[in-house]
Amino acid sequence: MKYSCCKTLVVWLALLVVPCARAQVLQTFSDRLDELRGDRSESLSMAVDSYRELMGQSEPATADSAYVLLEDFAVSLTKNIDFNLILLRSGNKDRNTKEKKAAADYADLLYGHYFSVSRKNGLITIRPDLMRIQTELKDFLSPRTYAYFEAVQQDTNAGGSSAILDFAPSELAQRACFWDGFLSDTVSFLFREEAEQRREAYLEQLVFGSEQQPVFGENGLLNEAFRKAYLQVLRECGEGKTRETVGAYMELLKQNDYRDCPAIWMFRY
């Protein structure tokens, strides 16, 4: 997940109320990032090395905030690098051995700099390998922040290459309940807003459906897959927004004989 400048702003505003020592560490790390070339892939590996060096004696809260700066830097860097896509395309099976090796060597170089190369339908995508960075920096981060990163990875694994619009209703129910449970265990942490956004995305899709996964069939009746998903939430989900919302929606559906109608269209939560 990308972190906007708004998240970085939150980090800097927080420095107004933290001890000077912590603020100094973050300022030093920020200065280090500013000194790095903004258009070279090796700058990301250098940024990770600086993170390790400066966070070695820091508290987890400081390391969490510094990670936000690191990820923001990684995303910005990726936009500015002129990656050699022509060379990477030389790795196609119809190329000769020399070209394939050159492409593989370049991909390995990018991997060493914490970038991942993916190919799909003839398109090559290069991204910062954030999951790998998070895993390698686990010992610096607070347990709750790393738990959030692991939960995001579970989201990715659950969906595979599918977009949320293609998720089956049962999977939407499972993921919405998962994030509700995750949030119920956390009073406050740096990435709580992102966790809430993930819960909301699954819940909204579960209640309102999509063109790919409509809540109601052509006959206007509630689709069986969604009925089962709603019952799954009421049966398995703990107390929280997901269970409360689905319970209210099911009551409205019952009042209208599980048929699509204007009263259903007006449902809000």
Side-chain angles (χ1 to χ4, degrees), residues 173-184:
Q174 192 273 327
R175 298 310 298 171
C177 289
F178 170 85
W179 282 106
D180 240 341
F182 185 90
L183 288 163
S184 69

Side-chain angles (χ1 to χ4, degrees), residues 137-168:
L137 301 181
K138 175 182 178 180
D139 291 341
F140 301 96
L141 300 165
S142 68
R144 200 56 185 160
T145 287
Y146 189 71
Y148 168 74
F149 292 150
E150 286 188 312
V152 171
Q153 187 167 356
Q154 289 177 30
D155 257 10
T156 302
N157 293 338
S161 59
S162 298
I164 188 173
L165 295 177
D166 299 319
F167 277 30

Side-chain angles (χ1 to χ4, degrees), residues 79-145:
K79 294 178 181 178
N80 294 328
I81 296 176
D82 185 18
F83 294 106
N84 194 337
L85 299 181
I86 295 177
L87 177 58
L88 289 173
R89 292 191 185 98
S90 299
N92 294 339
K93 61 182 179 181
D94 58 338
R95 301 289 184 168
N96 62 44
T97 302
K98 184 177 180 180
E99 289 175 321
K100 286 183 178 179
K101 185 177 186 309
D105 288 345
Y106 183 51
D108 288 342
L109 174 69
L110 293 177
Y111 178 83
H113 295 162
Y114 294 97
F115 289 95
S116 64
V117 179
S118 61
R119 295 174 171 85
K120 184 177 181 181
N121 299 327
L123 296 177
I124 297 176
T125 303
I126 302 175
R127 297 185 178 91
D129 195 345
L130 299 179
M131 289 184 181
R132 179 179 162 211
I133 293 173
Q134 292 159 4
T135 300
E136 292 191 8
L137 301 181
K138 175 182 178 180
D139 291 341
F140 301 96
L141 300 165
S142 68
R144 200 56 185 160
T145 287

Side-chain angles (χ1 to χ4, degrees), residues 22 51 55 58-68 134 137-150 182 186 188-192:
R22 177 182 172 190
Y51 180 98
M55 299 305 126
S58 299
E59 296 180 352
T62 304
D64 289 352
S65 296
Y67 175 82
V68 173
Q134 292 159 4
L137 301 181
K138 175 182 178 180
D139 291 341
F140 301 96
L141 300 165
S142 68
R144 200 56 185 160
T145 287
Y146 189 71
Y148 168 74
F149 292 150
E150 286 188 312
F182 185 90
T186 306
S188 177
F189 78 119
L190 188 57
F191 296 92
R192 183 178 178 85

